[in-house]
Each structure stands twice: as structure tokens, then as C-alpha cells.
Amino acid sequence: MSNKAATDMSHDWAHAYQLYKNRGEDLAYPSETLVRLLKGDYVTGQREDVAGKSVLDIGFGNGNNTMLLASLGMKVTGVEIHEDICSQVAQTFENLGLEADFRVGDNQNIPFDDNSFDYLVSWNVIHYVGTEEAIKDSIKEYARVLKPGGRLLLSTTGPTHKILLNGKTRGHHQYEIQRPGDFRQGQIHFFFDSPNYIEFYFGPHFKELQIGRIEDQLFLEKLDWWLVTGVK
């Protein structure tokens, strides 16, 4: 993705989140799947002991998942692509008396030192990088900032998700978004077409990989996400 395209996308997302907030349409609830992974025993066979652990939330959006992480007693840090998004969520946290460190960055450029976090949450953001090279760089960057033994929790768009309505194939795993009325129209997203590809890309950096999938048929539209967890 060119620097101009990245800048344009960051402005588009900042504008979108402000609109959602003004309309009262911003997510006021965390991902149910992330709640289950953190509070259930689906990942390791026993509940994750997360209280007091450091966590980085990549692409935290309006902070709906970040609030969950803070509520579990984790030391919360987040990265987003525009300063306005960081400021908006930082103000929400301040109003609630919660502490967090929000900084501008992206999948390939995380502004923290090596071996900084016990957990890294990447929820529906990695596919925006658009190219195979960027996917590899992003996964490597995720591993860089995790501590040895740190855990990745990731969700990314699956191949039957509604976002692919009218989408055009632009290369291996690359799809141009053509969903009517979506501000992401024209963007190139990178989707993993099968679990084998997830293992191929994540395997060099993460062990104990587990791959799951969530598919919801919401009447006229379908939601589809891959779930990935692994240990550095």
C-alpha cells in the first residue's frame, strides 16, 4: 500500500469512527468470541490467567474490545492508524477512570520495544494490509513485540464474509472490496482462503497454533471469521 493510500485510509477510518459515535452506532460491546476465548477454556483447556498481564490491542477502533481487556485487570495498550482515533478512545478511558496507553501505529509498524507484551489481540485488522509481503511483515512484527511465550489472539475475515459481496479477485488471496455503500470500496484486502495458508504464514513465528472459525448467518447477510491463536 502506498503512503498516500495509507494516509487516505487512516483519515477514512477516523472519520467513520467519529460518525459512528455521533450517531450512537459505535460498538458498545466487545466481541462475544473474544470474551469466550479469554473467559472460557477453549484455548488451552483452562481459563487464561490474564489479570495483571500486559496486552496490546492492534487496531482497537472505538475501544469496545479494549474495555473488555481493561475490565479483566490487564495492563492495556493500543495501536491505531490515526491520532484522532487514539484521542477519542483515550478520552473515553479517562472519563471512566481507566488507564491505557494509546499510540499511532499499524500492523507493520508497532511503536513498542521487542518482547513487550504478554498478549497481543488483533481483531479483524490484519487483512487491511492487502499484500502477501505486508502480511508476512505484520506477523513478524506481532511476534517481535510479544514476550517469549506470549500469546497471539487474532480474528480475520473468512472467505464467505459479507464484505466480499461483488468483490473482485486481484491476486493470490487478494480481493478488491466492491460492497455497495461501503467506504472501503476499492481497497485491496488479503484473506486466508484455507487453514493451510494460516499455518503457512503464522507457523514460522508462532508455535502451538490453533485455528477456528465463526460463521453467523444474520438473516440476509453472513459473517465469517477465522480465529487464530499461538505462542511466540
Side-chain angles (χ1 to χ4, degrees):
M1 183 182 298
S2 68
N3 289 337
K4 182 180 185 304
T7 299
D8 289 345
M9 186 165 72
S10 71
H11 283 292
D12 288 345
W13 274 110
H15 179 66
Y17 281 123
Q18 189 61 57
L19 282 178
Y20 298 153
K21 186 176 181 65
N22 293 344
R23 296 172 182 167
E25 297 174 359
D26 50 331
L27 293 177
Y29 50 87
S31 162
E32 180 181 355
T33 304
L34 184 58
V35 173
R36 288 176 172 175
L37 294 183
L38 289 170
K39 300 196 67 143
D41 59 359
Y42 302 100
V43 175
T44 62
Q46 60 185 1
R47 181 173 173 176
E48 291 282 288
D49 181 17
V50 299
K53 300 293 180 63
S54 56
V55 59
L56 175 63
D57 190 359
I58 296 286
F60 55 80
N62 72 332
N64 58 312
N65 285 329
T66 326
M67 291 288 185
L68 165 68
L69 302 172
S71 76
L72 296 174
M74 303 185 81
K75 299 175 182 178
V76 176
T77 304
V79 168
E80 258 295 352
I81 59 176
H82 197 284
E83 180 61 42
D84 289 352
I85 303 174
C86 294
S87 298
Q88 181 176 310
V89 177
Q91 186 61 59
T92 300
F93 266 64
E94 183 178 336
N95 293 343
L96 294 172
L98 298 173
E99 293 185 3
D101 181 359
F102 298 122
R103 303 186 190 183
V104 175
D106 58 42
N107 289 293
Q108 302 168 79
N109 301 281
I110 300 174
F112 292 97
D113 293 336
D114 298 357
N115 308 317
S116 291
F117 302 101
D118 298 302
Y119 288 84
L120 187 148
V121 173
S122 172
W123 218 251
N124 301 330
V125 297
I126 197 170
H127 41 261
Y128 287 104
V129 298
T131 68
E132 180 180 48
E133 180 181 5
I135 283 288
K136 289 181 177 180
D137 287 345
S138 297
I139 295 169
K140 182 178 180 181
E141 184 74 342
Y142 287 1
R144 180 186 69 79
V145 297
L146 272 171
K147 297 177 182 178
R151 179 170 294 280
L152 169 71
L153 294 169
L154 179 141
S155 172
T156 189
T157 307
T160 63
H161 196 284
K162 66 178 184 178
I163 191 65
L164 277 173
L165 178 66
N166 299 326
K168 298 179 180 179
T169 303
R170 293 305 189 196
H172 296 302
H173 313 291
Q174 292 180 293
Y175 300 90
E176 181 178 337
I177 303 306
Q178 291 295 323
R179 181 173 164 81
D182 196 306
F183 75 88
R184 294 167 291 185
Q185 195 167 36
Q187 291 181 13
I188 306 296
H189 290 190
F190 187 102
F191 295 150
F192 301 98
D193 298 304
S194 76
N196 288 350
Y197 286 111
I198 295 174
E199 293 175 356
F200 175 79
Y201 289 108
F202 285 86
H205 301 285
F206 293 94
K207 59 186 179 181
E208 301 175 27
L209 278 176
Q210 293 177 263
I211 300 168
R213 191 169 180 179
I214 293 291
E215 296 178 86
D216 289 333
Q217 185 67 50
L218 298 179
F219 306 110
L220 299 179
E221 295 188 316
K222 185 174 183 179
L223 305 177
D224 179 17
W225 295 285
W226 294 114
L227 305 174
V228 183
T229 187
V231 174
K232 177 178 173 179

